[in-house]
Amino acid sequence: MDAKKESTETPLVRVPYEALKRSVRDESKALQEQLATITKEVEMLQHGHRDREVVIGDLDAASDRIQNVKRKLQDREKAEKRLLNSCYTRLDYLSKPSTPEKVEEFERERLDRILIDYLLRESLKESGMAVVRSTELEGLVDVDIFLETQRIASTLKQGDCRSALAWCAQNAGRLKKLRSSLEFNLRVQEFVEYVRSGRLLDAVQYARTYLGPWSSVYSKQFYEAMGVLVFGPQTKCERYRQYFAPARWDDLAGLSVLNSHRDSTEEVNIEDPMQLKQFQTLAAGLPRAKHLHSKIRCWLTKEVMTDENPPLLLPNGMVYSRKGLETMALANAGWITCPRTGYRCKLEQAERLYIS
């Protein structure tokens, strides 16, 4: 596989591979715990003098647990075989001969996959699946991941963090490696909901249990969030009123879309197909493909946008860093002016975006 294809198609193989690795790790741990429990129960049956009927009942119970473990292993085996076959299918797909005809076919299928990606991300499930069936790309599209994401987003829109927190627990290692603040933001929201409902003692206990461990990582955000206890849901302070705004649930659900407009004066790398004018024209309006460890720089400050200095979306669709916009607002009585379009608005009208 050439360097260009390798750089743009890595996620195609990485997704089923990471899922397979996680499945094997989690299942091995669960199996060891279950077998240890069953072994201990069987060993206890060998000691002491108990009634014959009681022993038979215990043996039947142990047998039922063993059968239950067996069924779970069979189901897990099917799921892992599916993931393994997906890895083989995608590796074989990426190893096709690089003849002109094959390259043209590959580029056409790549565009189809980007289209499917867009439709599923926009919750247009039926349209996305129709394209999947018409192009016969079932083995190259991770539909189940999109459906899970939509389910989690739906529960968040309903004001429920449980599904999202369960997903964070399953992917804790990956999130830590990426230095993601997703779990922290979810925990802050649950803390806010305790305060909103007037359960202040429960809010304090929740903060000690679930927010305290994050205080050294996100110290500024942690101490700011603790101010919610003082200001409460009826506050007129803009900074803390935002904590109780319904829009926070939309942010957590990922409904805000990050549109990064490129500067036309930037140097173009001809080895990157995403920078070719023909490709940009063809893909206009579609989301950018996934890039691992992307760095997004603010047009104003030229600094990298991070969780500490997050991107903010203006009503006109332009995106700048919080630091850049706050500096501008401070010098203009709370007003900001988009340097690229001249659009003028208040800082409070800018919406927080989350990079994932």
Side-chain angles (χ1 to χ4, degrees):
M1 180 168 39
D2 59 43
K4 182 192 297 185
K5 188 184 294 185
E6 182 177 1
S7 65
T8 57
E9 301 299 339
T10 297
L12 192 64
V13 179
R14 178 181 290 274
V15 171
Y17 170 73
E18 291 289 349
L20 177 61
K21 186 170 67 172
R22 182 170 59 250
S23 175
V24 171
R25 182 185 65 242
D26 294 346
E27 188 61 31
S28 296
K29 182 178 179 181
L31 178 61
Q32 289 175 1
E33 293 175 350
Q34 292 171 334
L35 291 179
T37 300
I38 293 173
T39 300
K40 184 176 180 180
E41 291 176 351
V42 172
E43 289 177 348
M44 291 177 62
L45 294 175
Q46 300 175 357
H47 303 286
H49 301 282
R50 292 188 295 171
D51 184 78
R52 182 173 179 272
E53 296 298 327
V54 174
V55 173
I56 292 175
D58 290 342
L59 285 172
D60 288 340
S63 177
D64 290 339
R65 278 192 285 273
I66 292 173
Q67 290 299 321
N68 184 48
V69 171
K70 181 180 178 180
R71 284 191 296 270
K72 288 182 178 180
L73 284 175
Q74 290 172 338
D75 292 339
R76 180 58 58 182
E77 182 183 20
K78 293 178 181 178
E80 291 177 358
K81 280 185 176 179
R82 179 179 58 81
L83 291 171
L84 189 59
N85 289 334
S86 179
C87 290
Y88 284 136
T89 298
R90 298 180 183 199
L91 286 171
D92 181 65
Y93 169 74
L94 294 175
S95 301
K96 290 181 178 179
S98 299
T99 62
E101 294 78 12
K102 291 295 184 180
V103 170
E104 182 179 354
E105 179 185 356
F106 182 88
E107 296 298 337
R108 184 172 59 252
E109 290 176 342
R110 175 192 287 177
L111 182 59
D112 287 335
R113 288 190 285 113
I114 293 176
L115 176 59
I116 294 168
D117 180 287
Y118 172 74
L119 292 172
L120 293 177
R121 285 182 187 275
E122 293 297 312
S123 299
L124 301 173
K125 177 185 173 183
E126 293 184 4
S127 298
M129 292 307 299
V131 178
V132 170
R133 289 189 293 269
S134 65
T135 56
E136 299 182 352
L137 294 176
E138 290 90 344
L140 303 176
V141 181
D142 301 295
V143 177
D144 53 338
I145 293 180
F146 285 106
L147 296 181
E148 180 185 19
T149 301
Q150 291 171 15
R151 179 183 61 80
I152 293 174
S154 177
T155 60
L156 284 172
K157 289 170 65 177
Q158 296 171 14
D160 187 349
C161 291
R162 288 176 295 181
S163 294
L165 286 170
W167 183 89
C168 288
Q170 293 173 357
N171 297 272
R174 181 68 175 166
L175 292 174
K176 183 177 180 180
K177 184 177 180 180
L178 295 175
R179 299 181 181 179
S180 171
S181 62
L182 176 59
E183 182 179 352
F184 172 75
N185 288 320
L186 290 169
R187 295 297 185 186
V188 168
Q189 190 61 41
E190 289 209 318
F191 167 72
V192 169
E193 294 309 310
Y194 278 116
V195 177
R196 190 198 303 273
S197 62
R199 300 165 58 185
L200 300 186
L201 290 179
D202 290 336
V204 171
Q205 183 58 46
Y206 185 90
R208 287 174 176 171
T209 304
Y210 296 107
L211 290 177
W214 294 95
S215 61
S216 60
V217 181
Y218 302 108
S219 58
K220 181 180 178 181
Q221 296 92 323
F222 171 80
Y223 289 113
E224 179 179 301
M226 292 304 99
V228 170
L229 283 168
V230 178
F231 287 86
Q234 305 303 322
T235 181
K236 295 183 179 180
C237 176
E238 181 61 28
R239 170 170 289 187
Y240 285 97
R241 189 171 63 181
Q242 292 180 1
Y243 279 91
F244 299 95
R248 278 185 62 86
W249 288 106
D250 290 343
D251 291 340
L252 289 172
L255 299 182
S256 299
V257 179
L258 177 61
N259 294 305
S260 180
H261 297 263
R262 297 185 61 85
D263 189 333
S264 59
T265 62
E266 291 180 344
E267 182 180 354
V268 175
N269 178 7
I270 62 174
E271 294 299 323
D272 183 358
M274 294 297 185
Q275 297 188 28
L276 298 178
K277 291 184 178 180
Q278 297 90 333
F279 192 92
Q280 292 177 356
T281 301
L282 189 61
L286 296 180
R288 295 190 179 274
K290 178 181 177 182
H291 293 274
L292 299 177
H293 308 296
S294 296
K295 292 184 179 180
I296 304 176
R297 294 186 180 275
C298 174
W299 195 92
L300 284 171
T301 65
K302 310 303 180 187
E303 296 179 2
V304 175
M305 289 186 275
T306 64
D307 289 331
E308 300 291 336
N309 182 31
L312 299 182
L313 173 68
L314 301 186
N316 67 341
M318 294 298 178
V319 177
Y320 303 100
S321 68
R322 172 184 286 174
K323 181 179 178 181
L325 293 180
E326 287 182 344
T327 301
M328 183 186 296
L330 188 62
N332 296 278
W335 287 89
I336 52 179
T337 302
C338 177
R340 287 183 280 182
T341 67
Y343 179 84
R344 196 163 183 262
C345 65
K346 281 284 192 177
L347 177 61
E348 291 78 11
Q349 294 177 257
E351 297 181 11
R352 164 72 188 271
L353 297 180
Y354 293 91
I355 305 172
S356 60

